[in-house]
């Protein structure tokens, strides 16, 4: 594999154990691994000049529904709360197939890459018209991002008291067998893995207790991680109390859905006892601030979670509930919301960036990612701070306060996926044209 030397970065935020920051620093990477960090380094490979730039670890996205990139700003869902928003979009998603899944994933991951993201999870929980998780994994290979797809599922349709239409639910025995299939075929547990598969029933209001339990048992037998939605808004909590007779955190614990191999999306409405539970069990949280604002779900208690030792990462969530997939923008929003709810000193710019990098890597169980340190994977983002966004800034490293939201260069496993603000792996005009063609075709049938 090619060797690269990132040379003379104005400011390097390593996110290593000491949270070391360096000026005029170099980074040498070889065979997908960071070999050396320091000054005056040399290489026989390619030199990437980083003068006028801030360098960070690649950002980590812990929650997404990439298929939703095809249904941004759908008029019927623009002003709806979560349940109404889902009911608007379910019939549209029911018309998806393999091509829609593949193209929307390419577009969503490309958008993330341009915002500095090197590792993304994905929660795909519906499989209409022959679509499979395989379609999204193939797209991730084309884009070149490190990928954590999760095999989601819905098994309780409207006729059985669930939220999704019956046409989008699957038989639970088939769900379990397909989880085994995709894990056996695609999951790579090794250090430096480009693809790790997880198990991810959609939510407490779309699957049975039995499926939640079986999924947890399967995941632990297979050695993979587990993911679902939890306590997203007040409706979600009310549903849990009425249907299960307990709060969402208790429901999760009763079914085996807490532990270091579990992360939950949103958790906006966790109470103090649930936060303590997550801290004690090392259960992770994917915080999705823009989506929570867009759907009026509320402000997640991230400050309290962090203070009590809960692992927290960032997620852009689906592009139908965010309409954007910019992870640097998500970090800024996370910081601002904590300040709105807790005061201007509730979260610093550097802490927000730490959550977006090392924090997300920890949530996904990737101790080999999320920091710039010898021996860690070469996932590195280079941000040009010589432009108008940072002009006048006294602290260019405070990127979420004043800085670019589009990366100049992005390396993933030592490969340059973004160069000078453009993807090196895709013909983006062609992919965008495909995406728009599919979106128009869906819209014509609404």
């Amino acid at each position: 594999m090619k060797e690269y030397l990132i040379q003379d970065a104005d400011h390097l935020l390593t996110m290593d154990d000491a949270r070391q920051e360096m000026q005029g620093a170099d980074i040498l990477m070889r065979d997908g691994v960071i070999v050396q960090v320091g000054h005056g380094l040399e290489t026989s490979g390619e030199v990437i000049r980083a003068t006028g730039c801030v360098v960070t670890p690649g950002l980590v996205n812990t929650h997404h529904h990439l298929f939703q990139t095809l249904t941004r700003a759908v008029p019927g869902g623009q002003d709806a709360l979560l349940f109404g928003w889902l009911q608007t979009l379910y019939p549209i998603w029911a018309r998806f197939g393999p091509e829609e899944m593949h193209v929307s994933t390419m577009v969503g991951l490309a958008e993330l890459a341009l915002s500095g993201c090197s590792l993304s999870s994905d929660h795909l929980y519906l499989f209409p018209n022959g679509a499979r998780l395989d379609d999204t994994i193939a797209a991730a290979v084309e884009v070149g991002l490190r990928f954590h797809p999760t095999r989601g599922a819905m098994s309780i349709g409207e006729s059985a008291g669930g939220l999704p239409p019956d046409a989008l639910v699957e038989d639970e025995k088939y769900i379990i067998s397909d989880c085994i299939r995709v894990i056996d075929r695609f999951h790579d547990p090794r250090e430096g893995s480009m693809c790790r598969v997880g198990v991810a029933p959609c939510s407490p209001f779309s699957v049975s207790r039995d499926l939640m339990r079986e999924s947890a048992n399967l995941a632990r037998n297979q050695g993979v991680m587990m993911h679902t939605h939890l306590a997203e808004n007040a409706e979600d909590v009310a549903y849990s109390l009425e249907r299960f007779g307990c709060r969402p955190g208790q429901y999760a614990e009763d079914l085996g859905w807490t532990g270091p191999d579990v992360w939950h999306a949103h958790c906006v409405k966790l109470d103090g006892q649930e936060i303590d539970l997550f801290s004690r069990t090392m259960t992770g949280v994917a915080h999705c601030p823009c989506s929570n604002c867009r759907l009026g779900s509320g402000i997640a208690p991230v400050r309290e979670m962090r203070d009590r030792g809960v692992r927290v990462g960032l997620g852009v969530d689906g592009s139908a509930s965010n309409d954007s997939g910019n992870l640097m923008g998500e970090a800024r929003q996370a910081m601002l919301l904590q300040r709105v709810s807790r005061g201007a000193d509730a979260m610093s710019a550097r802490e927000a960036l730490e959550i977006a990098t090392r924090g997300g890597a920890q949530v996904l169980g990737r101790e080999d990612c999320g920091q710039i340190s010898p021996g860690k994977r070469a996932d590195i983002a280079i941000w040009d701070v010589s432009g108008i966004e940072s002009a006048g800034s006294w602290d260019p490293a405070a990127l979420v306060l004043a800085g670019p939201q589009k990366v100049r260069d992005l390396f993933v496993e030592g490969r340059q996926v973004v160069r000078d603000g453009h993807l090196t792996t895709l013909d983006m005009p062609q992919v965008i044209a495909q995406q728009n063609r599919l979106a128009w075709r869906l819209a014509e049938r609404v």
Side-chain angles (χ1 to χ4, degrees):
M1 185 180 290
K2 193 170 184 178
E3 181 174 291
Y4 287 94
L5 177 66
I6 298 174
Q7 189 176 71
D8 199 24
D10 277 15
H11 204 105
L12 168 61
L13 292 166
T14 66
M15 298 300 170
D16 65 7
D17 291 344
R19 305 303 189 266
Q20 182 179 195
E21 298 186 18
M22 303 171 68
Q23 287 74 44
D26 305 334
I27 306 165
L28 180 65
M29 48 185 157
R30 182 187 308 126
D31 297 331
V33 177
I34 296 167
V35 176
Q36 194 173 357
V37 179
H39 297 88
L41 305 183
E42 297 181 352
T43 183
S44 58
E46 183 176 346
V47 174
I48 306 294
R49 293 284 295 169
T51 306
C53 297
V54 172
V55 177
T56 71
L59 309 187
V60 179
N61 179 37
T62 61
H63 184 64
H64 209 325
H65 307 293
L66 285 160
F67 73 92
Q68 294 180 10
T69 311
L70 260 176
T71 50
R72 303 194 217 229
V74 171
Q78 287 182 17
D79 305 313
L81 296 177
L82 174 63
F83 284 14
W85 171 85
L86 283 168
Q87 288 167 333
T88 297
L89 289 163
Y90 278 144
I92 301 173
W93 296 335
R95 293 196 291 274
F96 279 35
E99 184 182 12
E100 285 79 5
M101 294 300 184
H102 184 263
V103 174
S104 60
T105 300
M106 281 198 297
V107 171
L109 290 177
E111 185 179 18
L112 284 171
L114 293 171
S115 76
C117 177
S118 56
L119 163 59
S120 180
S121 67
D122 185 43
H123 189 185
L124 181 57
Y125 53 80
L126 46 81
F127 300 89
N129 306 310
R132 299 192 299 172
L133 196 68
D134 311 43
D135 305 319
T136 66
I137 294 171
V141 171
E142 291 184 58
V143 178
L145 259 61
R146 206 179 294 279
F147 198 40
H148 279 219
T150 60
R151 206 298 183 184
M154 298 189 294
S155 64
I156 300 178
E158 287 178 309
S159 64
L163 194 67
D166 290 348
L168 285 176
V169 301
E170 299 175 284
D171 175 76
E172 295 190 352
K173 289 183 179 179
Y174 173 75
I175 291 167
I176 293 296
S177 67
D178 198 54
C179 285
I180 295 170
R181 180 189 69 82
V182 295
I183 292 167
D184 287 346
R185 181 171 180 185
F186 296 110
H187 179 66
D188 180 1
R190 296 172 296 179
E191 187 169 302
S193 167
M194 291 295 290
C195 183
R196 290 188 183 175
V197 177
V199 175
C202 182
S203 64
F205 51 80
S206 58
V207 300
S208 71
R209 283 185 173 139
D210 286 344
L211 183 59
M212 291 291 287
R213 287 194 189 94
E214 286 188 50
S215 297
N217 291 335
L218 168 66
R220 289 184 171 125
N221 287 335
Q222 297 278 343
V224 302
M225 293 193 70
M226 304 145 58
H227 183 52
T228 191
H229 298 91
L230 199 78
E232 183 168 354
N233 65 7
E235 288 178 285
D236 202 341
V237 175
Y239 183 93
S240 183
L241 289 169
E242 180 182 349
R243 189 70 177 263
F244 310 128
C246 62
R247 288 187 55 85
Q250 184 64 56
Y251 182 74
E253 184 180 34
D254 290 347
L255 298 177
W257 275 78
T258 54
D261 55 354
V262 180
W263 85 104
H264 293 285
H266 302 297
C267 298
V268 174
K269 298 298 182 179
L270 291 188
D271 66 13
Q273 288 184 325
E274 290 167 319
I275 292 172
D276 285 341
L277 167 66
F278 278 30
S279 175
R280 187 172 65 252
T281 58
M282 299 180 68
T283 303
V285 170
H287 174 44
C288 306
C290 289
S291 174
N292 296 158
C293 289
R294 162 79 156 75
L295 292 172
S297 299
I299 302 173
V302 173
R303 178 73 278 146
E304 190 174 359
M305 292 182 195
R306 295 263 300 170
D307 288 346
R308 298 196 196 186
V310 177
R311 295 177 175 181
V312 179
L314 289 183
V316 301
D317 202 8
S319 295
S321 66
N322 185 334
D323 308 299
S324 175
N326 187 305
L327 203 53
M328 184 59 81
E330 213 71 40
R332 175 179 171 84
Q333 187 75 355
M335 178 192 70
L336 295 178
L337 283 178
Q338 293 310 299
R339 292 182 176 209
V340 165
S341 63
R342 301 290 293 268
D345 60 351
M347 182 174 288
S348 70
R350 278 168 172 75
E351 183 178 10
L353 195 56
E354 179 179 326
I355 294 170
T357 53
R358 183 167 178 151
Q362 289 174 335
V363 165
L364 296 179
R366 295 303 299 254
E367 296 298 330
D368 56 342
C369 299
Q371 57 180 292
I372 297 175
S373 182
K376 302 299 182 181
R377 310 315 297 184
D379 293 1
I380 298 172
I382 303 176
W383 309 86
D384 185 349
V385 293
S386 66
I388 192 169
E389 305 95 337
S390 299
S393 173
W394 288 31
D395 182 9
L399 290 169
V400 300
L401 288 174
Q405 295 202 352
K406 185 176 180 181
V407 78
R408 191 196 80 176
D409 301 299
L410 179 70
F411 289 85
V412 182
E413 190 67 6
R415 302 180 184 93
Q416 194 164 17
V417 174
V418 177
R419 183 190 292 266
D420 295 326
H422 298 281
L423 237 64
T424 65
T425 53
L426 295 179
D427 180 346
M428 282 312 300
Q430 179 181 345
V431 173
I432 292 168
Q434 283 181 278
Q435 173 93 334
N436 287 334
R437 174 179 58 80
L438 293 172
W440 293 333
R441 188 169 72 189
L442 289 167
E444 286 174 353
R445 297 172 62 185
V446 173

